[in-house]
């Protein structure tokens, strides 16, 4: 781990020009919570700052304090400094960002580096943890309820509400401090877990119909075809988290979700591991990336069957390397 928070503060403190904090596309609570917390803090410090995302803030994140200030990217403006948060590079913004200086705050392994000010720690449970360290080192007393709430939302969701294996004593330590600063755990939980739409339930029902088991139950996955969104009135953002259904099955070590993206001419894949398999390796072998337990990639293939075969072969390869399966040939069930 590289402790870069101090030089990063200097970069922000000395910045006189306009700053943009950018989240990655299809935002989750960690990227948006990180962006909003930093944005609200810098605004308090009198900085000229904007927070941006390619997508409209999805329904499940619209309760985050400050979310009404998020601007849609791209914009014409040229920023003095742009910071991408919770992403392995500006390419994950998926919209052009014009800035004289670019920096990155993130907890993903690898990715693009923009210079000495990059603040990357793959051991951090969430990017909001890094933002919290940064803000504490600058001025802890300026962290108000709204900032604490954004930081807590990213920490809570990236740890599966303190269930995933990235949850440590230190995670609770930070969570405790954020609660002391005004974050409300029950309110956060209710906003994330008890505000589903009926359309989303219809989508889940269709998606569960696609559930398939492979490799004698070690692998399970779902597919979200584009027509499912039209048929249920859901949007892409509603696919967030559905990969947890196959993951929840007993005996499954690797779970996947394949999402059809016809407008990009590809299939987006999310991978989850229960701990024995490093799914970052699977994603990397297909040009993607992520963490050991959660990763993703994009597969460009003519049709669904080819996509599924490419993915399953990459998964099998990793299962073989980790000694969970032996033979090269295996049949889907
Ligand atoms: Mn994250």
């Amino acid at each position: 781990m590289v402790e870069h928070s101090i030089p990063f503060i200097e970069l922000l403190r000395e910045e006189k020009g306009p700053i943009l904090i950018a989240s990655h596309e299809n935002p989750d609570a960690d990227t948006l919570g990180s962006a909003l917390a930093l944005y609200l803090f810098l605004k308090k410090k009198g900085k000229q700052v904007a927070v941006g995302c390619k997508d409209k803030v999805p329904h499940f994140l619209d309760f985050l304090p400050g979310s009404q200030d998020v601007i849609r990217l791209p914009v014409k403006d040229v920023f003095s400094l742009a910071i991408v948060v919770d992403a392995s590079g500006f390419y994950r913004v998926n919209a052009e960002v014009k800035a004289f200086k670019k920096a990155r705050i993130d907890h993903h392994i690898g990715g693009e580096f923009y210079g000495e000010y990059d603040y990357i720690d793959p051991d951090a449970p969430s990017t909001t943890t890094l933002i919290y360290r940064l803000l504490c080192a600058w001025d802890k007393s300026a962290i108000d309820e709204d900032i604490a709430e954004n930081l807590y939302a990213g920490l809570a969701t990236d740890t599966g509400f303190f269930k995933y294996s990235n949850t440590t004593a230190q995670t609770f330590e930070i969570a405790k401090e954020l609660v002391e600063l005004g974050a409300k755990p029950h309110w956060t939980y209710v906003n994330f877990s008890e505000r589903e739409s009926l359309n989303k339930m219809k989508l889940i029902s269709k998606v569960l119909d696609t559930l398939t088991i492979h490799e004698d139950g070690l692998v399970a996955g779902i597919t979200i075809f584009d027509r499912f969104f039209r048929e249920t009135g859901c949007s892409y953002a509603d696919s967030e988290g559905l990969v947890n259904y196959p993951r929840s099955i007993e005996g499954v070590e690797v779970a996947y979700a394949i999402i059809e993206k016809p407008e990009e001419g590809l299939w987006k894949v999310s991978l989850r591991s229960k701990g024995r398999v490093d799914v970052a390796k699977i994603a990397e072998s297909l040009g993607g990336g992520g963490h050991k337990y959660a990763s993703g990639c994009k597969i460009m293939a003519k049709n669904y069957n080819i996509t599924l075969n490419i993915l399953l072969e990459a998964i099998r390869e990793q299962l073989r390397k980790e000694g969970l399966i032996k033979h090269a040939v295996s049949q889907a069930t």
Side-chain angles (χ1 to χ4, degrees), residues 24 28-31 34 86-87 106-108 124-128 154 158 291:
H24 60 66
D28 60 14
D30 194 27
T31 192
S34 294
D86 190 46
D106 188 26
H107 67 140
H108 293 87
S126 69
T127 299
T128 60
D158 261 29
H291 317 285

Side-chain angles (χ1 to χ4, degrees), residues 51-269:
V51 54
C53 178
K54 184 196 167 213
D55 304 295
K56 181 174 170 271
V57 173
H59 170 72
F60 79 100
L61 295 176
D62 64 8
F63 73 94
L64 291 176
S67 59
Q68 67 286 348
D69 291 357
V70 176
I71 58 168
R72 299 283 296 273
L73 299 176
V75 287
K76 280 192 236 101
D77 311 57
V78 180
F79 296 90
S80 178
L81 167 68
I83 304 166
V84 64
V85 292
D86 190 46
S88 46
F90 270 88
Y91 73 97
R92 292 275 288 114
V93 177
N94 206 12
E96 195 194 0
V97 173
K98 285 173 279 196
F100 291 101
K101 281 168 283 176
K102 285 185 174 174
R104 178 181 155 216
I105 305 175
D106 188 26
H107 67 140
H108 293 87
I109 298 165
E112 292 173 357
F113 297 91
Y114 299 97
E116 56 181 319
Y117 295 116
D118 284 339
Y119 181 27
I120 321 262
D121 179 1
D123 294 328
S126 69
T127 299
T128 60
T129 306
L130 302 181
I131 304 281
Y132 178 59
R133 278 190 218 150
L134 197 67
L135 304 190
C136 282
W138 184 340
D139 179 7
K140 193 172 175 180
S141 70
I143 301 177
D144 58 25
E145 262 178 44
D146 286 352
I147 295 170
E149 181 56 42
N150 277 300
L151 296 172
Y152 181 85
L155 181 64
T157 54
D158 261 29
T159 57
F161 283 85
F162 312 100
K163 294 191 301 278
Y164 298 158
S165 52
N166 59 356
T167 308
T168 62
Q170 225 214 330
T171 312
F172 286 106
E173 198 70 53
I174 295 167
K176 168 187 168 277
E177 289 181 28
L178 290 173
V179 172
E180 283 167 353
L181 290 165
K184 296 184 250 2
H186 178 65
W187 186 79
T188 308
Y189 172 77
V190 167
N191 271 290
F192 275 108
S193 308
E194 297 177 358
R195 281 204 315 151
E196 299 286 23
S197 65
L198 182 58
N199 288 351
K200 170 90 180 256
M201 289 298 136
K202 289 177 180 165
L203 176 69
I204 292 170
S205 157
K206 279 183 188 290
V207 167
L208 288 182
D209 259 348
T210 70
L211 181 67
T212 329
I213 303 289
H214 311 268
E215 305 305 318
D216 292 327
L218 282 175
V219 180
I222 50 165
T223 304
I224 306 162
F225 292 102
D226 187 57
R227 62 182 166 84
F228 288 2
F229 296 121
R230 291 194 301 277
E231 288 165 1
T232 60
C234 284
S235 64
Y236 180 82
D238 294 304
S239 64
E240 167 82 24
L242 297 186
V243 69
N244 289 321
Y245 286 102
R247 174 200 177 125
S248 68
I249 300 168
E250 182 173 21
V252 166
E253 289 295 333
V254 176
Y256 67 81
I258 300 176
I259 307 172
E260 185 181 13
K261 299 275 277 177
E263 69 287 359
E264 292 178 48
L266 50 78
W267 302 78
K268 195 177 166 279
V269 177

